[in-house]
Amino acid sequence: MPKQAIEAPDARILSALQQDGRLTNQDLAQRVGLSTSPCWRRVHQMEDAGLIQGYRAILDRQKIGLGVLAFVRVKIDSHSEDEARKFEIDVQRLDRVIACYSIAGSADFLLQVVARDLDDYADFAMAVIRRLPRIKEMETSFVLKEVKPLSGLPIEASS
């Protein structure tokens, strides 16, 4: 997908919304230096274009009882497009897999997984992930400390 040109006002809007998606249109307009009507129009245009895909609350995973964060590298048996797609469909059904990426390198997929504790992760890994069809190999890396969790994407205006 080609990169979409982002004008300076839109870049300011996107940055502000990534910091606080609950800003009222009036507060957003004031923060980015626009009047309310043009600000509202720009936000809706970016939503319609798919640049803004939604709004979410960011939760503290530890405070909701998910103390373990792990990355699981998975190799699958077959590299056919059909087999990879079946794996992707299976993984999308797993709530504890909070992100999944098809990757290049020593593995085929990288899964981001949450669990209550190490025993809970072990149960999930052995009873669910390991049992998925087409898995040839898996390797887990546990997060010891979140140094810089996802906080938003860098936004640059087009020249």
Side-chain angles (χ1 to χ4, degrees):
M1 175 187 279
K3 179 183 173 189
Q4 187 170 339
I6 300 174
E7 296 177 5
D10 293 342
R12 292 192 307 271
I13 290 170
L14 293 170
S15 293
L17 287 175
Q18 283 189 113
Q19 291 173 5
D20 185 356
R22 293 182 65 174
L23 287 170
T24 65
N25 184 59
Q26 183 175 354
D27 290 338
L28 178 61
Q30 186 176 8
R31 188 175 291 187
V32 301
L34 293 173
S35 59
T36 56
S37 292
C39 183
W40 182 85
R41 275 194 301 277
R42 285 178 175 275
V43 169
H44 283 278
Q45 287 171 348
M46 289 187 284
E47 289 171 345
D48 291 344
L51 204 60
I52 298 174
Q53 296 182 345
Y55 300 88
R56 294 185 176 95
I58 300 169
L59 307 179
D60 183 320
R61 69 175 170 79
Q62 293 179 332
K63 288 182 180 177
I64 63 169
L66 298 170
V68 170
L69 177 60
F71 289 91
V72 183
R73 286 177 296 284
V74 174
K75 291 182 185 180
I76 59 174
D77 283 333
S78 170
H79 291 95
S80 74
E81 190 171 324
D82 186 49
E83 290 299 309
R85 184 68 191 132
K86 287 177 186 175
F87 178 82
E88 292 169 9
I89 290 167
D90 289 342
V91 167
Q92 288 175 12
R93 294 183 181 126
L94 305 176
D95 290 341
R96 291 183 186 235
V97 177
I98 59 172
C100 176
Y101 307 94
S102 176
I103 61 173
S106 63
D108 300 307
F109 293 92
L110 180 65
L111 282 59
Q112 190 173 4
V113 178
V114 291
R116 289 186 305 275
D117 53 35
L118 288 175
D119 289 336
D120 184 45
Y121 172 79
D123 291 344
F124 178 73
M126 298 310 290
V128 178
I129 297 176
R130 220 5 130 189
R131 302 282 182 251
L132 290 173
R134 297 167 290 284
I135 287 196
K136 179 178 177 181
E137 188 178 315
M138 64 183 260
E139 179 183 335
T140 302
S141 296
F142 292 102
V143 172
L144 300 176
K145 177 181 176 183
E146 288 183 78
V147 176
K148 184 179 179 182
L150 178 64
S151 60
L153 300 173
I155 306 296
E156 295 180 9
S158 301
S159 312

